[in-house]
Amino acid sequence: MAKSDFNGFYARLTQSSLAHWLETLPAALREWEQQGQHGEFKKWQRTIALLPELTATDIDLETAVRIGNASEASDNDHARMQGLLKQFMPWRKGPFELFGLPIDTEWRSDWKWDRVAPHLSDLRGRTVLDIGCGSGYHMWRMLGAGAELAVGIDPGQLFVSQFRAIRRFVPEALANNIELLPLGIEQMPKLAAFNTVFTMGVLYHRRSPIDFLQQCIDQLRSGGELVLETLVVDGDVHTVLVPGERYAQMPNVWFIPSSAALVHWLERLGMQNVRVVDESVTSLEEQRATEWMTNQSLADFLDADDRSKTVEGYPAPKRAVIIANKK
Amino acid sequence: MAKSDFNGFYARLTQSSLAHWLETLPAALREWEQQGQHGEFKKWQRTIALLPELTATDIDLETAVRIGNASEASDNDHARMQGLLKQFMPWRKGPFELFGLPIDTEWRSDWKWDRVAPHLSDLRGRTVLDIGCGSGYHMWRMLGAGAELAVGIDPGQLFVSQFRAIRRFVPEALANNIELLPLGIEQMPKLAAFNTVFTMGVLYHRRSPIDFLQQCIDQLRSGGELVLETLVVDGDVHTVLVPGERYAQMPNVWFIPSSAALVHWLERLGMQNVRVVDESVTSLEEQRATEWMTNQSLADFLDADDRSKTVEGYPAPKRAVIIANKK
Amino acid sequence: MAKSDFNGFYARLTQSSLAHWLETLPAALREWEQQGQHGEFKKWQRTIALLPELTATDIDLETAVRIGNASEASDNDHARMQGLLKQFMPWRKGPFELFGLPIDTEWRSDWKWDRVAPHLSDLRGRTVLDIGCGSGYHMWRMLGAGAELAVGIDPGQLFVSQFRAIRRFVPEALANNIELLPLGIEQMPKLAAFNTVFTMGVLYHRRSPIDFLQQCIDQLRSGGELVLETLVVDGDVHTVLVPGERYAQMPNVWFIPSSAALVHWLERLGMQNVRVVDESVTSLEEQRATEWMTNQSLADFLDADDRSKTVEGYPAPKRAVIIANKK
Amino acid sequence: MAKSDFNGFYARLTQSSLAHWLETLPAALREWEQQGQHGEFKKWQRTIALLPELTATDIDLETAVRIGNASEASDNDHARMQGLLKQFMPWRKGPFELFGLPIDTEWRSDWKWDRVAPHLSDLRGRTVLDIGCGSGYHMWRMLGAGAELAVGIDPGQLFVSQFRAIRRFVPEALANNIELLPLGIEQMPKLAAFNTVFTMGVLYHRRSPIDFLQQCIDQLRSGGELVLETLVVDGDVHTVLVPGERYAQMPNVWFIPSSAALVHWLERLGMQNVRVVDESVTSLEEQRATEWMTNQSLADFLDADDRSKTVEGYPAPKRAVIIANKK
């Protein structure tokens, strides 16, 4: 019986408000370990094992995700890191800085965080969940803002690998407070135990937005805070865009409502104090190709002649941040 | 082990394209028989057993649901029928005529049928499903239009009782071709076996309209026809009304899209030849209180000063019929 | 969705005391159809389809299993039958006679029936189960003795094929009353619905004889009759032989108790009127190699110098028939 | 969501060879916490909470189960302990000594240990399982003999309560290495992870002794040791007593084989080096009524005129200890 990678997290759970998750989580993750992993995942884990055995002491998670400074690693370490970490491309969510090595990702996820962070209830001491967490960038920032335990879920196996490649370099005391689980929200029991639930960039991929919002709410304890970021369109409470096969080249986009509609939906589900705290059109500087993500990016997904439209003719991506509280 | 009421239907299934339903249906219905029935249901079954033992020979299902004529029953039979059938009030979907006795229901469901029927593929020889069939009125009309086997699902136990009270009077050869099962669509496996699937007056009660439409499609065989009737609002492909707690006094109303949006959703789900064949504002003559349904009805749910609005201020009920084919 | 071979049996169940079996049986058999069949099974089914399309009118199930007489088939039919039926070798349980063609099986199962039959409650009108029925020989004899419906279970796929090859030649009215299901007893719900349950030659293959006896009893309705035939050893109520890896060359032999122990076990399980009606040492004439079973047989499994012992030195096979009634 | 009593044990599992048990154990125990507990259990837990808050420093588990000495508790503590611990009567397995207070149990389980212990592979560093562990007496002795982690299973809720009442007084570092789970063996996955599995006084209560032995073996890692203690009768490899409704007044006694039969069964199941290390008739001094167990005991279950027989006329209880190794 192979030892699970998640034993440490299970031990951590027993000391948290999430201990009841043990009733289903180890079975779900065992199934993933036995059947859910694709061939590349094992290769990525071997790549992680080749990374230099360094533990950073100089760590900044408050203003960025900077783990280690250049002087904590040798030139040789830097070269190996650079080469090995490129094997996890495309790097989408970031940026990260590892011992002075910048990982310049497709997204300036720090800009998103800057739009979200000022509006949050103080994260200090909170247990938080990030649904659709990608490589885990925002989870690091949540720890930086004082969260006690940050859990992210995302079925993407490259994301899990990127996350582990980075976590490898932090001290155990910090690593114990952050975990990325390769699960979808539909695999989670109704824990009703998190203080804050984030879900950023997920809702428009769901075929049933109401069910998805309810699933997010089901993870919150009473009084907890939901932080929803998603694509929106201009319009009133009755406006919902359901695009065709693709939106900005993305398949599987279903519901893009107006902010007003989203607020109404959350109220209909019993949430309180629902407010739109930000609305921004995504700029070509925020999402773009880089050395670490060389595929097409936003500039390619917009109409070359009219940057206010996608190549399919829909309104260009605009995102809202909505915060609400559970009774 | 009590004998199931559905044994006859199971035998019928073995001679149909639905035989594979036996893999799950008897277990689901046994569970319903053991745990799902409420106290009134048993009382209603006893009432049915008290109805006169008559079998109609003069039956018209083509222009109405007329089972038996007055001369086929005695005065005493008529009096008993009238008294016993009133115990199944409120009668919502109809009207029925039993041995000359008119059951004047809240809804003129025949009017709805008249809007739907001209647009259907010929029902002769077809196996059809009616999702949310109510008392079964339209199933009788489907048989009248030549369907070989009509199956309805509706969890409402009063509906099951009304249906059985009426079916009791038809000859066995006819009764064998029609059944109402006390199930919700989510309890059905993906049968992919019906020629035509009807769902009239259900979609707006579903929290996930896309999932619901997919469930309906999953029941169709390749080339089969979906007949969707639901509430719509005026507007373009982006218009969707999600009302507050109540719409026309109904709780649990979620999505009321425009016809254009519905057409788009069905196309997005891969349906072909999607067309709106009817749109009508529901009139006060089509839905109203009667001797057999003495509760409030549409007139009470509309703004007394402005019949174009519900009491909540939403647009008054308007219904569309949309037909589409599965690849 | 392929049509199940068992649809006819499901229809038959709806008209029997076994209708509640529909709650689990079609799902179990679908699983078998999709995953349980090995490659040879499909080949055997094709072989069956090549058999002459004959339906016997002259059938004797009372004194033998004789289906059709020689004059009902042509010479060509006889030749084809002989050639095709040999493809189902080894034929172990019989003998059968098909249109004059004798199938001389390893076992004279008719001799066993002659030992059992005189002691049975009248089978006329009874619904009977044969657990471990092999090719179904005894089920035919049960019908011959008046049983209304004979059901056999045996996971052996060659047995199912042999059974179907024979049933093919009887009229539908008869075929409808006999079925062989490719199941083990542990896959049956507690039907509590059979009048008589036979299990002959099975118990010694079970790792838990008490659980097995209870499973047999669970199939009986109140007052029903259990007919148990199994290997026994001489000895008192405390004597039980558990052989080593093999007994008479058979692997998977676990418990061979004395008849006295068996009687006690059945009484301990609440059975009434438990009686040993026969005990016989199996003769070399009853179990032997034939033209239709050319492998080794009993003569090879006994000590050549001392026919009272198996090659392993255990007592040679002795069989008891025990009958008991359920309260 | 109430916190589970077993969170500490779950954390301990993550640091053991049993971590994969987390895939099923928390769900099983949650079910027990929600549905399996009877009313008295909650009362017993409240009683435990009333016990003095003492932690023993002077502990002897090598020659007895002595936790604390008299001087570590006040007279008042002694009086409270005596009164509260009597509420867990009948105390069957022991004896225990708590801060000088002797709990004189029905059984001298220490005598049994003295018969078993000399024959065991060195327990130091081993992870051990005790199937049917009663109050946990022998688990303490296993720790005393050097076991690293001792896990017991027994569905008896009084046993769980007695165990917790005693464990309360040992330091956390010790308490972390011993746990009693309210489960039956059939609720355990095949862990294949224990170094030694004990099962003493259980086999004769099982309806299927072969399945039970296999379940015990399934818990052992390769090379692990099975320690089986059970009732036996005199006789050869073919001798098995299956008593009637009661044996020595106990209901649910099924198989009492000879030691020779047991050895053969274990070999048949693939165990190696199977040896009978002890056989003893249970004396009236080893099992008797005491101040802490005032019900009838062995003297009442034997024939008053012939102590070599039970009141039912069977041979008086004789017990064998058999040890075997897994390949």
Side-chain angles (χ1 to χ4, degrees):
Chain A
M1 187 64 62
K3 221 172 151 80
S4 169
D5 288 339
F6 299 101
N7 278 345
F9 183 61
Y10 300 153
R12 182 69 179 81
L13 286 183
T14 63
Q15 297 151 10
S16 78
S17 60
L18 308 172
H20 52 305
W21 204 356
L22 286 174
E23 293 161 29
T24 60
L25 186 62
L29 292 174
R30 167 61 62 185
E31 194 189 335
W32 177 79
E33 288 176 336
Q34 290 179 337
Q35 298 170 23
Q37 296 177 2
H38 53 57
E40 293 242 86
F41 185 76
K42 288 188 176 61
K43 194 193 74 182
W44 290 328
Q45 300 314 298
R46 286 192 298 270
T47 303
I48 291 171
L50 298 175
L51 286 166
E53 295 207 10
L54 299 170
T55 301
T57 55
D58 182 6
I59 295 176
D60 173 18
L61 303 174
E62 284 184 55
T63 67
V65 179
R66 268 194 294 268
I67 293 171
N69 60 48
S71 67
E72 292 186 80
S74 69
D75 286 355
N76 188 31
D77 289 339
H78 283 113
R80 263 170 75 201
M81 270 193 279
Q82 167 108 3
L84 292 169
L85 291 171
K86 287 252 167 133
Q87 299 191 25
F88 300 105
M89 286 176 58
W91 284 86
R92 296 199 178 276
K93 303 298 170 71
F96 299 96
E97 189 184 313
L98 289 176
F99 301 97
L101 172 72
I103 301 179
D104 187 14
T105 53
E106 177 187 18
W107 282 86
R108 294 296 308 255
S109 305
D110 49 339
W111 295 8
K112 185 177 292 189
W113 185 249
D114 289 343
R115 291 194 297 270
V116 169
H119 309 286
L120 300 176
S121 295
D122 189 343
L123 287 181
R124 279 177 292 182
R126 291 172 90 96
T127 296
V128 303
L129 175 68
D130 188 358
I131 299 170
C133 61
S135 64
Y137 178 84
H138 289 123
M139 288 200 286
W140 293 108
R141 300 300 300 269
M142 294 167 200
L143 289 187
E148 183 175 298
L149 175 60
V151 183
I153 63 170
D154 204 307
Q157 303 192 8
L158 179 58
F159 289 143
V160 176
S161 303
Q162 292 171 340
F163 170 75
R164 290 183 181 182
I166 287 163
R167 187 178 55 176
R168 176 183 173 86
F169 299 111
V170 308
E172 196 177 345
L174 176 54
N176 280 344
N177 294 330
I178 183 166
E179 184 58 280
L180 196 170
L181 304 172
L183 300 175
I185 181 66
E186 64 283 353
Q187 293 173 272
M188 287 186 71
K190 300 177 181 181
L191 291 175
F194 289 94
N195 300 107
T196 307
V197 168
F198 294 84
T199 181
M200 302 188 277
V202 176
L203 182 124
Y204 51 90
H205 286 309
R206 308 299 298 196
R207 217 160 70 167
S208 175
I210 301 290
D211 287 335
F212 176 70
L213 290 173
Q214 185 63 57
Q215 288 167 329
C216 295
I217 294 167
D218 289 339
Q219 301 306 323
L220 281 171
R221 58 169 54 199
S222 179
E225 189 160 283
L226 177 67
V227 182
L228 168 67
E229 195 256 15
T230 189
L231 291 176
V232 293
V233 288
D234 291 334
D236 65 15
V237 70
H238 297 161
T239 308
V240 178
L241 167 63
V242 177
E245 291 298 321
R246 288 181 175 268
Y247 170 87
Q249 294 286 65
M250 286 185 287
N252 290 323
V253 174
W254 286 96
F255 286 82
I256 307 181
S258 67
S259 290
L262 273 172
V263 167
H264 175 55
W265 294 359
L266 284 166
E267 286 172 346
R268 180 77 195 274
L269 292 172
M271 294 298 280
Q272 292 182 318
N273 194 21
V274 186
R275 64 271 190 198
V276 181
V277 299
D278 188 79
E279 259 193 27
S280 313
V281 172
T282 307
S283 74
L284 294 176
E285 291 74 35
E286 184 169 354
Q287 183 189 9
R288 75 282 185 248
T290 69
E291 180 195 348
W292 294 77
M293 201 301 289
T294 58
N295 303 334
Q296 292 193 318
S297 188
L298 183 56
D300 309 292
F301 306 147
L302 298 185
D303 184 329
D305 297 326
D306 179 357
R307 292 311 205 179
S308 76
K309 298 216 171 306
T310 69
V311 290
E312 301 88 359
Y314 298 113
K318 182 180 184 180
R319 302 178 120 81
V321 177
I322 299 177
I323 297 183
N325 292 96
K326 187 170 177 178
K327 268 180 207 165
Chain B
M1 187 65 60
K3 222 172 151 77
S4 167
D5 287 339
F6 299 100
N7 278 344
F9 183 61
Y10 300 153
R12 181 70 179 82
L13 285 182
T14 64
Q15 297 152 11
S16 78
S17 60
L18 308 172
H20 53 304
W21 204 356
L22 286 173
E23 293 161 28
T24 60
L25 186 62
L29 291 173
R30 166 61 63 186
E31 195 189 334
W32 177 79
E33 288 176 336
Q34 290 179 336
Q35 298 170 22
Q37 296 177 3
H38 53 56
E40 291 242 87
F41 186 76
K42 288 187 176 63
K43 194 194 76 183
W44 289 328
Q45 301 312 298
R46 286 191 298 270
T47 302
I48 291 171
L50 297 175
L51 286 166
E53 296 207 10
L54 298 171
T55 302
T57 55
D58 183 5
I59 295 176
D60 173 18
L61 303 175
E62 284 183 55
T63 66
V65 180
R66 268 194 293 270
I67 292 170
N69 61 47
S71 67
E72 292 187 80
S74 69
D75 286 356
N76 188 31
D77 289 339
H78 283 113
R80 263 171 74 201
M81 270 192 278
Q82 166 108 5
L84 292 169
L85 291 171
K86 288 253 168 130
Q87 298 191 25
F88 300 105
M89 286 175 60
W91 282 86
R92 297 202 178 274
K93 303 299 169 69
F96 299 96
E97 189 184 312
L98 288 176
F99 301 97
L101 172 72
I103 300 180
D104 188 14
T105 53
E106 178 188 17
W107 281 85
R108 292 296 307 255
S109 305
D110 48 340
W111 296 9
K112 184 176 292 188
W113 186 249
D114 289 344
R115 290 194 297 270
V116 169
H119 308 286
L120 300 176
S121 296
D122 190 343
L123 288 181
R124 280 177 291 182
R126 289 172 89 96
T127 296
V128 302
L129 174 67
D130 189 358
I131 298 170
C133 62
S135 65
Y137 177 84
H138 289 124
M139 287 200 286
W140 293 107
R141 299 301 299 271
M142 293 167 201
L143 288 188
E148 185 176 295
L149 175 60
V151 182
I153 62 169
D154 204 306
Q157 304 194 6
L158 179 59
F159 289 142
V160 177
S161 303
Q162 291 171 341
F163 171 75
R164 291 183 180 181
I166 286 163
R167 186 177 56 175
R168 176 184 173 86
F169 297 112
V170 308
E172 196 175 345
L174 177 55
N176 280 345
N177 294 331
I178 184 167
E179 185 58 281
L180 196 170
L181 304 172
L183 300 174
I185 182 65
E186 64 284 352
Q187 293 172 272
M188 287 186 71
K190 299 177 182 182
L191 291 176
F194 289 95
N195 300 107
T196 309
V197 168
F198 294 84
T199 181
M200 302 188 277
V202 176
L203 181 124
Y204 51 90
H205 287 308
R206 307 298 298 196
R207 216 160 70 167
S208 175
I210 301 289
D211 287 335
F212 176 70
L213 291 172
Q214 186 62 58
Q215 288 167 329
C216 295
I217 294 167
D218 288 339
Q219 301 307 322
L220 282 171
R221 59 168 53 198
S222 179
E225 188 161 284
L226 177 67
V227 182
L228 168 67
E229 195 256 15
T230 189
L231 291 177
V232 293
V233 288
D234 291 334
D236 64 16
V237 70
H238 298 162
T239 309
V240 178
L241 168 62
V242 176
E245 292 297 321
R246 289 181 175 268
Y247 170 87
Q249 294 286 64
M250 287 184 287
N252 290 322
V253 174
W254 286 96
F255 285 82
I256 307 182
S258 68
S259 290
L262 273 173
V263 167
H264 174 56
W265 295 358
L266 284 166
E267 287 171 346
R268 180 78 196 273
L269 292 172
M271 294 297 280
Q272 293 182 317
N273 195 19
V274 186
R275 63 273 191 198
V276 181
V277 299
D278 188 80
E279 258 193 28
S280 313
V281 173
T282 306
S283 74
L284 295 176
E285 290 74 37
E286 186 169 351
Q287 184 189 10
R288 74 284 185 249
T290 68
E291 180 194 349
W292 295 76
M293 200 303 289
T294 57
N295 304 334
Q296 291 194 318
S297 188
L298 183 56
D300 308 293
F301 306 147
L302 298 184
D303 183 329
D305 297 326
D306 179 357
R307 291 311 204 179
S308 75
K309 298 216 170 306
T310 69
V311 290
E312 300 89 359
Y314 297 114
K318 182 182 185 178
R319 302 177 121 81
V321 178
I322 298 177
I323 297 183
N325 292 96
K326 187 172 178 177
K327 270 182 206 163
Chain C
M1 188 64 61
K3 222 173 150 79
S4 169
D5 289 338
F6 299 101
N7 278 345
F9 182 61
Y10 300 153
R12 181 68 180 83
L13 285 183
T14 64
Q15 297 152 12
S16 78
S17 60
L18 308 172
H20 53 303
W21 203 358
L22 287 173
E23 293 161 28
T24 60
L25 186 62
L29 291 174
R30 168 59 66 187
E31 194 190 335
W32 178 78
E33 288 175 336
Q34 291 179 336
Q35 299 171 21
Q37 295 177 1
H38 53 57
E40 293 241 88
F41 186 76
K42 289 188 176 62
K43 195 194 74 182
W44 290 328
Q45 301 311 298
R46 288 193 296 271
T47 302
I48 291 172
L50 299 175
L51 286 167
E53 296 207 10
L54 299 171
T55 302
T57 55
D58 182 4
I59 294 176
D60 172 18
L61 303 175
E62 284 184 56
T63 66
V65 180
R66 266 193 294 269
I67 292 171
N69 60 48
S71 67
E72 292 186 80
S74 68
D75 286 355
N76 188 30
D77 289 339
H78 282 114
R80 262 171 75 203
M81 270 193 278
Q82 167 108 4
L84 292 168
L85 291 171
K86 286 252 168 133
Q87 299 191 26
F88 300 105
M89 286 175 58
W91 283 86
R92 296 200 178 277
K93 302 299 170 71
F96 298 97
E97 189 184 310
L98 289 177
F99 301 98
L101 172 72
I103 300 180
D104 188 14
T105 52
E106 178 188 18
W107 281 87
R108 292 296 309 256
S109 304
D110 48 340
W111 296 8
K112 185 178 290 189
W113 185 250
D114 290 343
R115 289 194 298 269
V116 168
H119 308 287
L120 300 175
S121 296
D122 190 344
L123 287 180
R124 279 177 291 182
R126 291 171 89 96
T127 296
V128 302
L129 174 67
D130 189 0
I131 298 169
C133 61
S135 65
Y137 178 83
H138 289 124
M139 288 201 286
W140 292 107
R141 299 300 301 271
M142 293 167 200
L143 289 187
E148 186 176 297
L149 175 60
V151 182
I153 62 170
D154 203 308
Q157 303 193 8
L158 179 58
F159 288 142
V160 177
S161 303
Q162 291 171 340
F163 170 75
R164 291 181 180 183
I166 286 165
R167 187 177 56 175
R168 177 182 172 87
F169 297 111
V170 308
E172 197 176 344
L174 177 55
N176 281 344
N177 294 331
I178 184 167
E179 185 59 280
L180 196 170
L181 305 171
L183 300 175
I185 182 66
E186 63 284 352
Q187 292 173 274
M188 289 186 70
K190 299 178 182 182
L191 291 175
F194 289 94
N195 301 108
T196 308
V197 168
F198 293 84
T199 182
M200 302 188 276
V202 176
L203 181 125
Y204 52 90
H205 286 309
R206 309 297 298 195
R207 217 160 68 168
S208 175
I210 301 289
D211 287 336
F212 176 70
L213 291 172
Q214 185 63 57
Q215 288 167 328
C216 295
I217 294 167
D218 288 340
Q219 301 306 323
L220 282 170
R221 60 169 52 199
S222 179
E225 188 161 284
L226 176 66
V227 183
L228 167 67
E229 195 256 15
T230 190
L231 291 177
V232 293
V233 287
D234 291 332
D236 65 15
V237 70
H238 297 160
T239 308
V240 178
L241 168 64
V242 176
E245 291 298 321
R246 289 182 174 266
Y247 170 87
Q249 294 286 63
M250 288 185 285
N252 290 323
V253 174
W254 286 96
F255 285 82
I256 307 181
S258 67
S259 290
L262 274 172
V263 167
H264 175 55
W265 294 359
L266 284 166
E267 287 172 345
R268 180 77 195 274
L269 291 171
M271 295 297 279
Q272 292 181 318
N273 194 21
V274 186
R275 64 273 188 196
V276 181
V277 299
D278 187 80
E279 259 192 27
S280 312
V281 173
T282 307
S283 74
L284 294 176
E285 290 74 37
E286 185 168 354
Q287 184 190 9
R288 76 283 183 245
T290 69
E291 180 194 350
W292 295 77
M293 200 303 288
T294 56
N295 304 334
Q296 290 194 317
S297 187
L298 182 57
D300 308 293
F301 306 148
L302 297 185
D303 184 328
D305 297 326
D306 179 357
R307 293 309 205 180
S308 74
K309 298 215 170 307
T310 69
V311 291
E312 300 88 359
Y314 298 113
K318 182 180 183 179
R319 301 177 120 82
V321 177
I322 299 177
I323 298 183
N325 293 95
K326 188 171 176 179
K327 269 180 206 166
Chain D
M1 187 64 60
K3 221 173 152 77
S4 168
D5 288 338
F6 298 101
N7 277 345
F9 183 61
Y10 301 154
R12 182 67 180 82
L13 285 183
T14 64
Q15 298 153 10
S16 78
S17 59
L18 307 173
H20 53 304
W21 203 357
L22 285 173
E23 293 162 28
T24 59
L25 186 62
L29 292 173
R30 168 59 66 187
E31 195 190 334
W32 178 78
E33 288 175 336
Q34 290 179 337
Q35 299 170 25
Q37 295 177 1
H38 54 57
E40 293 240 87
F41 186 76
K42 289 188 176 61
K43 195 194 74 183
W44 290 328
Q45 300 312 298
R46 287 192 297 271
T47 302
I48 290 171
L50 298 175
L51 286 166
E53 296 207 9
L54 299 170
T55 301
T57 55
D58 182 5
I59 295 177
D60 172 18
L61 303 175
E62 283 184 55
T63 66
V65 180
R66 268 193 294 270
I67 293 171
N69 61 48
S71 67
E72 292 186 80
S74 69
D75 286 355
N76 188 31
D77 289 338
H78 283 114
R80 261 171 77 203
M81 270 194 278
Q82 165 109 3
L84 292 168
L85 290 171
K86 286 252 168 133
Q87 298 190 26
F88 300 106
M89 286 174 59
W91 284 85
R92 296 199 179 275
K93 303 298 170 71
F96 299 96
E97 189 183 312
L98 289 176
F99 301 98
L101 173 72
I103 301 180
D104 187 15
T105 53
E106 178 188 18
W107 281 87
R108 293 297 306 259
S109 304
D110 48 341
W111 296 8
K112 184 177 291 190
W113 186 249
D114 289 343
R115 289 193 298 269
V116 168
H119 309 287
L120 300 176
S121 296
D122 189 343
L123 288 180
R124 280 177 291 181
R126 291 172 90 96
T127 295
V128 302
L129 175 66
D130 188 359
I131 298 170
C133 61
S135 64
Y137 177 83
H138 289 123
M139 288 200 285
W140 292 107
R141 300 301 299 271
M142 292 168 202
L143 288 187
E148 184 175 298
L149 175 59
V151 182
I153 63 169
D154 204 307
Q157 304 192 8
L158 179 58
F159 288 142
V160 177
S161 303
Q162 290 171 341
F163 170 76
R164 291 182 179 182
I166 287 164
R167 187 178 55 176
R168 176 183 173 87
F169 297 112
V170 307
E172 197 176 345
L174 176 56
N176 280 345
N177 293 330
I178 183 167
E179 184 59 280
L180 196 170
L181 304 171
L183 300 175
I185 181 67
E186 63 284 352
Q187 292 173 274
M188 288 186 72
K190 299 177 183 183
L191 291 174
F194 289 95
N195 300 107
T196 308
V197 168
F198 293 84
T199 182
M200 301 188 276
V202 176
L203 181 126
Y204 52 90
H205 287 308
R206 308 298 299 196
R207 216 161 69 168
S208 175
I210 301 291
D211 286 336
F212 175 70
L213 290 172
Q214 186 62 57
Q215 288 167 328
C216 295
I217 294 167
D218 288 340
Q219 301 307 323
L220 282 171
R221 60 168 52 197
S222 179
E225 188 161 285
L226 177 66
V227 183
L228 167 67
E229 194 256 16
T230 189
L231 291 177
V232 292
V233 288
D234 292 332
D236 65 15
V237 70
H238 298 162
T239 307
V240 178
L241 167 63
V242 177
E245 292 297 321
R246 289 181 175 267
Y247 170 86
Q249 294 286 63
M250 288 185 285
N252 290 324
V253 174
W254 286 95
F255 285 81
I256 307 181
S258 67
S259 290
L262 275 172
V263 167
H264 175 55
W265 294 0
L266 284 166
E267 286 172 345
R268 180 77 196 275
L269 291 171
M271 294 297 279
Q272 293 182 316
N273 194 19
V274 186
R275 64 272 190 199
V276 181
V277 299
D278 187 81
E279 258 191 29
S280 313
V281 173
T282 307
S283 74
L284 295 176
E285 289 75 36
E286 184 168 353
Q287 183 190 10
R288 76 283 184 248
T290 69
E291 180 196 349
W292 293 77
M293 200 303 290
T294 57
N295 304 334
Q296 290 193 318
S297 189
L298 182 57
D300 308 292
F301 305 148
L302 298 184
D303 183 328
D305 296 326
D306 179 359
R307 293 311 205 179
S308 75
K309 299 215 169 308
T310 70
V311 290
E312 300 89 359
Y314 297 113
K318 182 180 183 178
R319 301 177 121 82
V321 177
I322 298 177
I323 297 183
N325 292 96
K326 188 172 177 179
K327 271 181 205 166

